[in-house]
């Protein structure tokens, strides 16, 4: 069975949505392992409750990325659990060459904006401050540059005049919980036909 | 009556949409003048057919902006016709300080993308090449930087796998012809209440 691995640093709301869609059969795949760089991540608790191997691996001494020999442990752990697709779900560190060597074009991420607008942190707040009428979320392949890989799916969220960062972020997350499981379903069913330049062509969309 | 002026370089499809919505009463304003930097612009023909003063003013020796003393003639012409709001509709030159001196915060533009994504030329093609699932169009205030002013309205257009630049551009233009007249209506009715930072707050949206 197609096996995915999830990296998460936070409370794990996207993990929760993925677990739900695996359990109800929408995604025909197995979650091999959930790994966190934060021993207190809610994501680890969600994994344990669902009977999924939940592993904390020390990130090392840097704040924004994994120390090289620690990153190797992440990749080894994913391989040990037979992971074919790595899904970043609120993982707060940039991943580097150990991942790309082993999982070239097999790492995906969800970002809370309509990329290429609002890369980086707190994208919902960036969108609100910029004054856009629409924002959303993006599932994309992960490349060595941040938030730039080919786009798999996007969803649109309208911005209201009375939105706060919190209300807008909540509506974006509701859409994340729809398109991230859908993207994983599509990849696990091998329906992602090809990438032309940067355009991702999906069967039966 | 609230009077708008339109600057256009090309065939004038947005002008056409604005003329239609003035004629059918959706916009309660008068088009005082249409000015072009291109004597053969279809926009001038559309204006003449609608009984609107249509003026060609030489742009001067530069390709991407108006020569200073020529730009002054544009502004004088707008003032002579009582223009209170300047609408750029496919005007292919960057406007400069003569305009901002006279029409501060009274110049608007329509851009064929969901700004801040895909500033600059052929934004529909940029969007297609980038592989986004959604693009659209944006009516925004014009500032001295290009395609950066506060956003008044946006509309979303889905990108299809079989889109060409032409098919995508056509669907974006259909939305432009909806939101540009609507933005002009809102401003002419004084329903644009205030700008908070970059956020444009509109009454009864």
């Amino acid at each position: 069975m197609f096996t995915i691995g999830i990296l998460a640093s936070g409370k794990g709301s996207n993990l929760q949505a993925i677990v739900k869609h695996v359990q109800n059969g929408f995604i025909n795949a197995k979650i091999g392992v959930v790994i966190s760089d934060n021993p207190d991540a809610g994501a680890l608790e969600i994994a344990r409750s669902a009977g999924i191997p939940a592993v904390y691996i020390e990130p090392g001494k840097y704040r924004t990325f994994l120390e090289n020999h620690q990153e190797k442990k992440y990749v080894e752990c994913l391989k040990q659990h037979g992971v074919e697709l790595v899904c970043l779900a609120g993982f707060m560190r940039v991943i580097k060459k150990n991942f790309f060597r082993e999982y070239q074009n097999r790492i995906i991420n969800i970002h809370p904006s309509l990329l290429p607008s609002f890369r980086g942190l707190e994208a919902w707040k960036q969108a609100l401050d910029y004054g856009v009428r629409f924002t959303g979320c993006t599932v994309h392949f992960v490349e060595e540059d941040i938030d730039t890989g080919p786009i798999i799916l996007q969803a649109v969220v309208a911005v209201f005049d009375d939105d706060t960062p919190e209300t807008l972020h909540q509506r974006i997350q509701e859409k994340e919980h729809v398109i991230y499981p859908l993207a994983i379903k599509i990849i696990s069913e091998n329906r992602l036909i090809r990438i032309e330049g940067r355009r991702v062509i999906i069967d039966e969309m």
Side-chain angles (χ1 to χ4, degrees), chain A residues 109-124:
Chain A
N109 183 40
I110 186 148
H111 182 81
S113 77
L114 289 177
L115 289 173
S117 287
F118 312 124
R119 295 182 172 124
L121 296 176
E122 295 195 320
W124 58 91

Side-chain angles (χ1 to χ4, degrees), chain A residues 12-177:
Chain A
S13 74
N14 271 301
L15 172 63
Q16 185 78 272
I18 295 164
V19 167
K20 175 182 146 191
H21 286 93
V22 167
Q23 288 176 343
N24 70 18
F26 179 74
I27 300 172
N28 187 25
K30 176 183 147 189
I31 304 174
V33 64
V34 172
I35 311 179
S36 184
D37 58 339
N38 168 12
D40 302 321
L44 291 174
E45 196 46 55
I46 289 169
R48 283 185 209 107
S49 302
I52 299 164
V55 183
Y56 162 67
I57 302 177
E58 269 186 45
K61 64 186 173 191
Y62 304 109
R63 265 195 57 213
T64 58
F65 58 95
L66 300 165
E67 205 168 342
N68 186 49
H69 63 277
Q70 293 306 106
E71 186 175 73
K72 284 181 182 162
K73 290 184 189 169
Y74 276 74
V75 175
E76 280 163 23
C77 180
L78 292 165
K79 287 173 64 183
Q80 277 165 14
H81 287 89
V83 168
E84 296 160 87
L85 176 72
V86 180
C87 307
L88 309 183
F91 189 65
M92 297 305 286
R93 286 166 202 269
V94 178
I95 63 171
K96 292 190 173 284
K97 62 176 181 302
N98 296 292
F99 277 95
F100 295 110
R101 201 176 288 134
E102 202 64 44
Y103 285 103
Q104 183 79 46
N105 296 326
R106 302 300 263 174
I107 310 166
I108 64 177
N109 183 40
I110 186 148
H111 182 81
S113 77
L114 289 177
L115 289 173
S117 287
F118 312 124
R119 295 182 172 124
L121 296 176
E122 295 195 320
W124 58 91
K125 188 168 182 307
Q126 293 183 52
L128 202 60
D129 290 346
Y130 196 94
V132 293
R133 297 291 179 194
F134 298 96
T135 183
C137 49
T138 302
V139 182
H140 63 95
F141 285 104
V142 176
E143 292 181 340
E144 299 206 38
D145 281 339
I146 297 175
D147 301 334
T148 60
I151 290 168
I152 303 165
L153 294 177
Q154 295 185 301
V156 175
V157 175
V159 180
F160 304 138
D161 280 349
D162 60 355
D163 261 325
T164 63
E166 293 71 29
T167 59
L168 180 58
H169 189 202
Q170 190 185 332
R171 292 204 312 287
I172 293 171
Q173 285 189 306
E174 286 168 16
K175 295 280 187 159
E176 290 181 24
H177 302 164

